[in-house]
Amino acid sequence: MYCSVHCWLYRCLCQWSKIGWCHVGWCTFDGVVEYVKTTISSWLAKLKSDVATCVEQGGDETQVQAIISKANVEIERQLKSTCDKTKNTGVSSTVKEQIIASTEWAKKTALESSAQVQTVSVEVINAGGDKSATVVEGRLAGLIESTKEKVH
């Protein structure tokens, strides 16, 4: 995706054009939104896998909570960086406000989802029975997909 005529003409390969932003300060709303969607989707997949592995290996509530906390810090860092970069672009204040509001909403949705992941994981831990990664991921799949749909 090229975010400007400049990037298209010069085949810009900087990190900004890869996420729909250009290093010369231009920005597209759609490019940033797509970046946020992709970031959250990847984060959710990793969170699901990490929690499922932890539970399968006999992890307890404290270990699941530690995984969730670490994941939350990471998504907050990534999305704060997105907002900070947006603030420093040369686009109109209206576009900046839209991008920042959308990113903050997506972050809130992701953090709510991680709290639900923790709740479901603790239920699996306390329920007894099969705690294989496949079972845990199955229990989390609907929740994860629901969050992805909200963000997308």
Side-chain angles (χ1 to χ4, degrees):
M1 166 193 333
Y2 299 108
C3 55
S4 70
V5 172
H6 174 270
C7 284
W8 181 79
L9 285 173
Y10 296 102
R11 304 292 195 258
C12 179
L13 298 175
C14 69
Q15 67 174 346
W16 300 107
S17 66
K18 290 178 186 171
I19 62 171
W21 299 349
C22 179
H23 66 284
V24 294
W26 296 310
C27 174
T28 64
F29 181 77
D30 291 341
V32 177
V33 170
E34 191 59 39
Y35 172 77
V36 170
K37 288 178 189 178
T38 302
T39 299
I40 290 177
S41 291
S42 298
W43 175 80
L44 286 167
K46 183 173 179 349
L47 179 63
K48 179 174 79 171
S49 174
D50 290 351
V51 167
T53 300
C54 175
V55 172
E56 181 179 57
Q57 294 175 351
D60 61 13
E61 292 179 40
T62 304
Q63 291 169 314
V64 168
Q65 183 177 4
I67 290 168
I68 301 274
S69 294
K70 182 178 175 184
N72 288 349
V73 168
E74 179 59 23
I75 197 66
E76 287 178 334
R77 183 193 62 75
Q78 289 179 12
L79 297 180
K80 181 185 182 310
S81 175
T82 300
C83 288
D84 291 346
K85 288 174 185 175
T86 299
K87 290 174 187 174
N88 296 321
T89 62
V91 298
S92 72
S93 60
T94 303
V95 172
K96 286 180 189 181
E97 289 169 10
Q98 289 175 331
I99 291 170
I100 291 168
S102 294
T103 303
E104 290 295 332
W105 176 84
K107 178 175 74 174
K108 179 181 173 227
T109 302
L111 293 174
E112 289 170 355
S113 178
S114 74
Q116 294 171 338
V117 166
Q118 182 172 344
T119 299
V120 170
S121 300
V122 169
E123 287 173 3
V124 170
I125 289 169
N126 293 330
D130 191 0
K131 292 180 175 66
S132 70
T134 305
V135 168
V136 177
E137 287 183 358
R139 288 280 311 269
L140 297 175
L143 172 64
I144 299 296
E145 286 307 311
S146 173
T147 302
K148 285 181 184 179
E149 287 177 21
K150 286 180 189 175
V151 173
H152 289 199

